[in-house]
Amino acid sequence: MSIALIIPDRKLDDLQYRLQQALPQTRIEIWPELYDPAEVEFAVVWRQPHGCLNGLVNLKAIQCFGAGVDSILSDPTLPDLPISRIVDPALTAAMIGYLDGVMSYYRLQLDMFSRQQQQSLWRPKSPRKLSRITILGLGELGSAVASHFCQQGYQLAGWARSGKSLQDIQCFAGDEQLHHAVAAADVIICLLPLTPSTENLLGRDFFQALKPGAIFINVARGAIVDDTALLAALDHGPLGAACLDVFRQEPLPPASPLWQHPAVLITPHVSAVTNVATVVSQIAENYRRAQQGTGLLNPVDLVRGY
Amino acid sequence: MSIALIIPDRKLDDLQYRLQQALPQTRIEIWPELYDPAEVEFAVVWRQPHGCLNGLVNLKAIQCFGAGVDSILSDPTLPDLPISRIVDPALTAAMIGYLDGVMSYYRLQLDMFSRQQQQSLWRPKSPRKLSRITILGLGELGSAVASHFCQQGYQLAGWARSGKSLQDIQCFAGDEQLHHAVAAADVIICLLPLTPSTENLLGRDFFQALKPGAIFINVARGAIVDDTALLAALDHGPLGAACLDVFRQEPLPPASPLWQHPAVLITPHVSAVTNVATVVSQIAENYRRAQQGTGLLNPVDLVRGY
């Protein structure tokens, strides 16, 4: 019996080594080099080539190697099996650290000072006043981020597809409240899951509902945003700046107009990378549960899509 | 009797209005438009033209409109009078906010990602590990900044001309310990006062004593640093990056090679700007003390130069 690691384009030595330490009796294999596909009972998966799970006839469960399962669910040939995703305090802490840094970057006007530096221009300016943040998506990460910034003294609003109730956070729900949720925000942080109902959700009407000068931060999935609408809102208002860590196509193609837009800060999907050391124990535990046929940790609801 | 505001190149309406509210019986005048120079008893001063205080024959005290008095003391004709400087929790909080943001900027590799963005390059990288900070200068601001980062979990060292003792901070003193103080630091933050003994203190030998890849942040005064040595240390090692908020000449001249150096982040002296609203009460109190001939708040030691 074995575990297959199906994570293309990533060095997997460390994950393989640590999982082997946690499960010394189990063969840990790196796809596509499998000893016998019929022996694979459990797969750790990230952006798998569509169809590759079908040959694993004795597969019992799928462990997504990240918080967002959209790249797994997009496989039309996906076998009907329990799926678990990563929920990790270290991942949440990394996301909060990234967003703290990006908030400071804009508060200190480092975007503007960097542009002025390119032109050797000296134009002092006071810090930006950023007091209202709206978080789109109030799942594990979204609600943790919201309460973090709430503790920092910001005024928080949040929006989710379904109604939520969180302390000290003004919660909005459903399509009809999306524009209300962001109308007063100085900063909008997207932490939505990518599902058929959030794909292209943030388009022209959304950006036109923002406050003049608002800052948009996407740390969820690129396909939630209509890039053409985002660029138009930067060029003609009301959007003031955008920090994008995720893109419809990654790596972001060199021809994308996002790269050279002066009001866009691009980071190459680094906001919260799964930490091998901290997630090995939950993957090993899910493997044991899959063998025993008991419920997985952090199960994915296939109807909701997250 | 009057108070003269001698702060060239700055709009002073707000300061004048607030001081007038605090001292309704006193004339608050903006230099050089003085009703009668002989009536001026107290001067609020920042970068005064040399000699301009000599005509104020009844001046009793000088209030520096900032934390650093170097630009006042550099006047060779300065009258021999008590001088006070600003010590303000809001100034300290602004400095800590600036440094927090700059630390996050480097931790998240935003310097590298910005350069890569200019070339449409997608190269993910984990956050920089920055664990050791050395603060140069352990006065009001330096010691507050050191204990702030200590509370954030960094390992702190500090250096000052004279020996200091601060909780949880490894303190170094005197010229002979300067290189020891910075040898292990990932980040060096300069908060020294500018005095004859700190001018050009940070030169070739200093930069050569740094750890490879170290980051240097100057939020004190430009003239403490030998820019040629700093640029050489960036180009040939060991210095990894520099964030400069202060310069020997401000505004930084367009011809300075600092502007276009890829490893330099320039901000136009914004790290901690005196907040008119929060400092009016200490200025008014010092005016009353000067009239009564009692000791000023936050007096400057003219022998030390700060």
Side-chain angles (χ1 to χ4, degrees):
Chain A
M1 296 298 109
S2 88
I3 296 178
L5 310 182
I6 307 181
I7 309 178
D9 303 326
R10 181 166 168 153
K11 266 179 72 79
L12 295 172
D13 314 27
D14 189 37
L15 176 61
Q16 185 180 36
Y17 175 79
R18 289 174 190 262
L19 261 183
Q20 194 66 80
Q21 298 290 107
L23 300 165
Q25 310 299 326
T26 308
R27 182 187 298 130
I28 313 292
E29 306 185 283
I30 297 177
W31 180 89
E33 311 288 321
L34 303 179
Y35 175 75
D36 177 0
E39 284 202 6
V40 177
E41 286 183 318
F42 191 78
V44 182
V45 177
W46 187 250
R47 294 192 181 166
Q48 80 282 9
H50 290 179
C52 81
L53 294 164
N54 293 93
L56 310 179
V57 291
N58 289 310
L59 194 63
K60 291 179 174 161
I62 297 167
Q63 170 73 56
C64 175
F65 192 61
V69 292
D70 47 284
S71 75
I72 292 178
L73 301 189
S74 63
D75 183 347
T77 68
L78 190 72
D80 180 20
L81 290 169
I83 302 178
S84 161
R85 67 197 187 94
I86 295 293
V87 174
D88 180 22
L91 198 71
T92 308
M95 180 60 85
I96 288 174
Y98 177 91
L99 291 170
D100 262 344
V102 171
M103 287 296 291
S104 290
Y105 176 84
Y106 287 114
R107 188 175 46 76
L108 294 176
Q109 313 262 19
L110 295 185
D111 56 329
M112 203 187 56
F113 292 144
S114 297
R115 286 199 298 276
Q116 291 177 3
Q117 181 174 347
Q118 288 174 26
Q119 304 168 64
S120 307
L121 274 182
W122 179 276
R123 292 202 185 142
K125 195 144 194 198
S126 304
R128 268 198 193 92
K129 285 184 181 51
L130 304 174
S131 53
R132 290 168 182 271
I133 301 177
T134 295
I135 312 287
L136 305 180
L138 295 170
E140 289 286 340
L141 284 171
S143 56
V145 166
S147 65
H148 167 77
F149 283 116
C150 200
Q151 282 161 27
Q152 303 281 308
Y154 291 94
Q155 285 180 266
L156 263 291
W159 180 86
R161 295 240 132 233
S162 53
K164 304 262 177 174
S165 174
L166 294 164
Q167 206 185 342
D168 296 327
I169 295 160
Q170 195 183 3
C171 291
F172 295 85
D175 280 345
E176 65 286 2
Q177 293 192 345
L178 178 58
H179 297 179
H180 293 296
V182 296
D186 300 306
V187 179
I188 300 93
I189 300 174
C190 178
L191 276 161
L192 289 164
L194 176 60
T195 68
S197 64
T198 62
E199 190 167 356
N200 294 315
L201 178 69
L202 309 183
R204 188 178 174 285
D205 293 348
F206 170 79
F207 287 111
Q208 291 309 313
L210 302 183
K211 185 171 143 176
I215 295 166
F216 176 73
I217 303 173
N218 192 2
V219 281
R221 287 292 182 263
I224 297 167
V225 176
D226 173 348
D227 291 340
T228 307
L230 179 140
L231 286 164
L234 283 172
D235 288 336
H236 309 295
L239 192 58
C243 169
L244 306 175
D245 186 52
V246 291
F247 303 89
R248 196 169 291 263
Q249 189 184 340
E250 293 180 10
L252 181 63
S256 168
L258 292 170
W259 279 114
Q260 301 306 327
H261 196 289
V264 175
L265 173 66
I266 287 176
T267 58
H269 205 146
V270 294
S271 60
V273 173
T274 299
N275 183 326
V276 170
T278 61
V279 301
V280 157
S281 62
Q282 67 185 271
I283 295 175
E285 173 63 18
N286 269 339
Y287 170 66
R288 290 186 208 101
R289 290 179 178 219
Q291 284 195 301
Q292 291 156 13
T294 53
L296 301 179
L297 297 175
N298 311 312
V300 172
D301 178 333
L302 293 176
V303 175
R304 291 191 313 179
Y306 55 92
Chain B
M1 296 299 107
S2 87
I3 296 177
L5 310 181
I6 308 182
I7 308 176
D9 304 324
R10 180 163 167 155
K11 266 179 71 83
L12 296 171
D13 316 27
D14 190 34
L15 176 60
Q16 184 180 36
Y17 174 79
R18 288 174 190 262
L19 263 183
Q20 194 67 79
Q21 300 289 108
L23 300 165
Q25 310 299 326
T26 306
R27 182 186 297 129
I28 314 291
E29 305 184 282
I30 297 177
W31 179 90
E33 313 287 323
L34 304 180
Y35 174 73
D36 177 0
E39 284 202 5
V40 176
E41 285 184 318
F42 191 81
V44 182
V45 177
W46 187 249
R47 296 191 180 165
Q48 79 282 10
H50 291 179
C52 81
L53 294 164
N54 292 95
L56 310 178
V57 291
N58 291 309
L59 193 64
K60 292 177 175 163
I62 296 167
Q63 169 73 59
C64 175
F65 192 61
V69 293
D70 48 283
S71 76
I72 291 178
L73 301 188
S74 64
D75 183 348
T77 68
L78 190 71
D80 180 21
L81 290 171
I83 302 177
S84 161
R85 66 197 189 93
I86 295 294
V87 175
D88 179 22
L91 198 70
T92 308
M95 180 61 83
I96 288 173
Y98 177 91
L99 291 169
D100 262 346
V102 171
M103 287 296 293
S104 291
Y105 176 84
Y106 286 113
R107 188 175 48 75
L108 293 176
Q109 312 261 21
L110 296 186
D111 56 329
M112 203 187 56
F113 293 144
S114 297
R115 285 199 299 274
Q116 292 178 2
Q117 184 175 345
Q118 288 173 27
Q119 302 167 66
S120 307
L121 274 181
W122 179 277
R123 293 201 185 142
K125 195 143 194 198
S126 305
R128 268 198 192 90
K129 285 185 181 51
L130 303 175
S131 53
R132 290 166 182 272
I133 302 177
T134 295
I135 311 287
L136 306 179
L138 295 170
E140 289 286 340
L141 284 170
S143 55
V145 165
S147 67
H148 167 77
F149 283 117
C150 199
Q151 283 162 26
Q152 303 281 308
Y154 292 94
Q155 285 179 268
L156 263 289
W159 180 86
R161 294 240 131 231
S162 54
K164 305 262 177 174
S165 174
L166 294 165
Q167 205 186 344
D168 296 328
I169 295 160
Q170 195 182 3
C171 291
F172 295 85
D175 281 346
E176 66 287 0
Q177 294 193 345
L178 177 58
H179 298 178
H180 292 297
V182 296
D186 300 306
V187 178
I188 301 93
I189 300 174
C190 178
L191 276 161
L192 289 164
L194 175 60
T195 68
S197 65
T198 63
E199 189 166 356
N200 294 315
L201 178 68
L202 309 183
R204 188 178 175 284
D205 293 348
F206 169 80
F207 287 111
Q208 291 309 314
L210 302 183
K211 185 171 147 179
I215 294 166
F216 175 73
I217 303 173
N218 192 2
V219 281
R221 287 291 180 265
I224 297 167
V225 177
D226 173 348
D227 290 341
T228 308
L230 179 142
L231 286 163
L234 284 171
D235 288 336
H236 309 296
L239 191 59
C243 169
L244 306 176
D245 186 52
V246 291
F247 303 89
R248 197 170 290 263
Q249 188 184 340
E250 293 179 7
L252 182 64
S256 168
L258 293 170
W259 280 116
Q260 301 306 326
H261 197 288
V264 175
L265 173 66
I266 287 177
T267 58
H269 204 147
V270 295
S271 59
V273 173
T274 299
N275 183 325
V276 170
T278 61
V279 300
V280 157
S281 63
Q282 68 184 272
I283 295 175
E285 174 61 18
N286 269 339
Y287 169 67
R288 288 184 209 103
R289 290 179 177 220
Q291 284 193 302
Q292 290 157 15
T294 55
L296 300 180
L297 297 174
N298 310 313
V300 173
D301 178 333
L302 293 177
V303 174
R304 293 191 312 181
Y306 56 92

